[in-house]
Amino acid sequence: MAKKWYVLHTYSGYENKVKKNLEMRIEALGLENNIFAIEIPTEMVTEIKDGGRRVEAEKKVFPGYVLVRMELDDRSWAAVRNTEGVTGFVGTQGNPSPLTRDEYNKIMRRTNHEAPKKTSTTLEVGQSVKVVSGPLAEFDGVVAEVSPEAGKVKVMVSIFGRETPVELGFNQVTRI
């Protein structure tokens, strides 16, 4: 039987607990030769907090999901399916569907800590902000566009009575 990667659906926020519970079940039931690896795909994200403070954080790529490499048979299926926090396998018509090698590689590429870091922010289009640094410091504006990949935000600022788009870094604005 082939070792394949399967996706488990879990209660959101319980991914680490499911991994720990599953590791204990594998050992207790002697399934080391059937279930080989458990992965919770994560990636490093730079979050921009109020005032432009940058904070590195590890975030789950797919909250509520865990990857398991296993040989699927009745015994291993039952052990995994009945692990506390697991709500089921991802698949069609109740049957677990294994990931293809390409799907698995694409998911794990995102978890590579050499991969470009993502930036997240709480800024949203339509939100009022104050510019806190640069030549337009103390001006108020409205967010017109957010570009997390670039760490930039386009703000419509009223200069001499006209709305003018200004591109700023996340650290140059704060929410009002």
Side-chain angles (χ1 to χ4, degrees), residues 98-117:
L99 292 174
T100 65
R101 175 55 68 186
D102 284 346
E103 289 169 330
Y104 174 78
N105 289 340
K106 188 183 276 187
I107 290 168
M108 295 316 285
R109 249 193 314 274
R110 286 186 64 180
T111 70
N112 180 351
H113 294 292
E114 303 304 311
K117 292 181 174 56

Side-chain angles (χ1 to χ4, degrees), residues 1 6-7 13 26 33 47 54 56 58 66 70 74 76 107 111 118 127-128 140 146 149 155 159 163:
M1 194 166 265
Y6 293 89
V7 181
I26 291 166
N33 295 326
E47 293 181 331
R54 291 177 167 270
E56 293 264 318
E58 191 173 48
V66 174
M70 61 190 285
D74 290 343
S76 62
I107 290 168
T111 70
K118 293 203 169 169
Q127 192 171 45
S128 296
D140 292 343
V146 180
E149 320 76 44
V155 178
I159 302 175
E163 290 290 312

Side-chain angles (χ1 to χ4, degrees), residues 8-166:
L8 301 179
H9 189 263
T10 69
Y11 295 120
S12 192
Y14 282 74
E15 301 86 358
N16 294 333
K17 190 168 184 66
V18 164
K19 181 177 180 177
K20 191 172 139 201
N21 289 343
L22 193 49
E23 287 168 344
M24 289 175 12
R25 283 183 69 88
I26 291 166
E27 190 175 330
L29 298 172
L31 291 171
E32 294 88 351
N33 295 326
N34 299 77
I35 303 172
F36 308 98
I38 305 164
E39 295 279 345
I40 302 170
T42 59
E43 62 187 347
M44 292 305 290
V45 175
T46 303
E47 293 181 331
I48 309 298
K49 301 292 185 182
D50 283 339
R53 199 170 40 93
R54 291 177 167 270
V55 177
E56 293 264 318
E58 191 173 48
K59 297 281 188 187
K60 290 176 179 62
V61 176
F62 301 109
Y65 295 93
V66 174
L67 304 181
V68 177
R69 186 169 187 226
M70 61 190 285
E71 287 181 357
L72 191 65
D73 60 22
D74 290 343
R75 206 165 146 240
S76 62
W77 178 87
V80 171
R81 181 65 186 91
N82 294 317
T83 298
E84 185 181 346
V86 174
T87 59
F89 281 87
V90 172
T92 55
Q93 299 171 346
N95 296 321
S97 297
L99 292 174
T100 65
R101 175 55 68 186
D102 284 346
E103 289 169 330
Y104 174 78
N105 289 340
K106 188 183 276 187
I107 290 168
M108 295 316 285
R109 249 193 314 274
R110 286 186 64 180
T111 70
N112 180 351
H113 294 292
E114 303 304 311
K117 292 181 174 56
K118 293 203 169 169
T119 303
S120 75
T121 181
T122 55
L123 294 173
E124 297 175 359
V125 172
Q127 192 171 45
S128 296
V129 294
K130 177 183 278 305
V131 180
V132 293
S133 68
L136 299 174
E138 300 304 313
F139 275 79
D140 292 343
V142 176
V143 175
E145 190 178 307
V146 180
S147 301
E149 320 76 44
K152 302 273 185 195
V153 62
K154 189 177 285 182
V155 178
M156 298 303 287
V157 179
S158 181
I159 302 175
F160 304 120
R162 294 182 67 169
E163 290 290 312
T164 306
V166 180

